[in-house]
Every structure is written in C-alpha cells, then in structure tokens.
Amino acid sequence: MLNSEKSQVSLRLPTSLVSEFDRIAAILERDRTWVMQKALSQYLATEGAEILADAQGLDELDRGDSVDLEDVLEKARAIVNAAEYRRRTRVG
C-alpha cells in the first residue's frame, strides 16, 4: 500500500466467504488481510470507480454542467458528413 496510515475495520462476513479468503491466502502463502486488501483494491479500481464516476456525473448535472444532447448530435452529424465528403472526393 502506498499510504502508511492504517485504520482498523471490523465486519461480519459469511463463514463461507472467509473460508474462501483463507484458502486463497494459503495457496499464495499470504495472510488473509493481504488477500482481502487485494480484493477491496480490485473492487475500488473497477466497480467502485464506476460508482464514483457516476456520482460525479450526477453532481455535474445537478450543478447544470451539461451539454444539450441536440448540440452533441449536431456536432457528430457534422463530423460524419465531413468524413463522408472526404471519402467520396478521394474515391471519385
């Protein structure tokens, strides 16, 4: 871990889940805490990051920091039309 600060966390988990962590830890010759930290880090890098990004987007919308969909579609159509025109003039 990059951050040397630690916090004690206590949680209740199903016995079967703890057993899976223990099995993985034994295979890797690591302790359960290390395996759980890896699992939590992976979660934060994937699903957790997606949740945070969604929340940030919702915050931006709440503040009015958005772009009208019709403006975006108009720009996209202009880009596509220009690309099609360039393709036609090169081929023809």
Side-chain angles (χ1 to χ4, degrees):
M1 282 185 114
L2 295 176
N3 187 349
S4 62
E5 291 185 42
K6 306 274 184 188
S7 294
Q8 181 71 34
V9 176
S10 176
L11 65 147
R12 295 185 184 278
L13 297 172
T15 303
S16 60
L17 185 61
V18 174
S19 295
E20 292 296 312
F21 280 115
D22 287 340
R23 287 180 57 209
I24 294 167
I27 291 167
L28 297 175
E29 298 180 353
R30 297 286 194 153
D31 61 28
R32 181 194 307 156
T33 299
W34 184 88
V35 176
M36 290 180 157
Q37 285 176 346
K38 295 290 281 185
L40 290 168
S41 293
Q42 181 66 33
Y43 172 82
L44 289 175
T46 55
E47 189 174 342
E50 186 176 321
I51 291 167
L52 292 173
D54 289 348
Q56 180 181 351
L58 291 172
D59 287 343
E60 289 171 0
L61 287 173
D62 287 344
R63 289 192 311 269
D65 298 341
S66 62
V67 178
D68 185 57
L69 177 61
E70 284 304 316
D71 292 342
V72 173
L73 291 175
E74 184 179 322
K75 288 180 182 180
R77 284 187 206 104
I79 292 168
V80 169
N81 290 340
E84 287 177 350
Y85 175 79
R86 284 192 304 275
R87 186 180 58 84
R88 280 194 309 267
T89 57
R90 277 185 278 176
V91 173

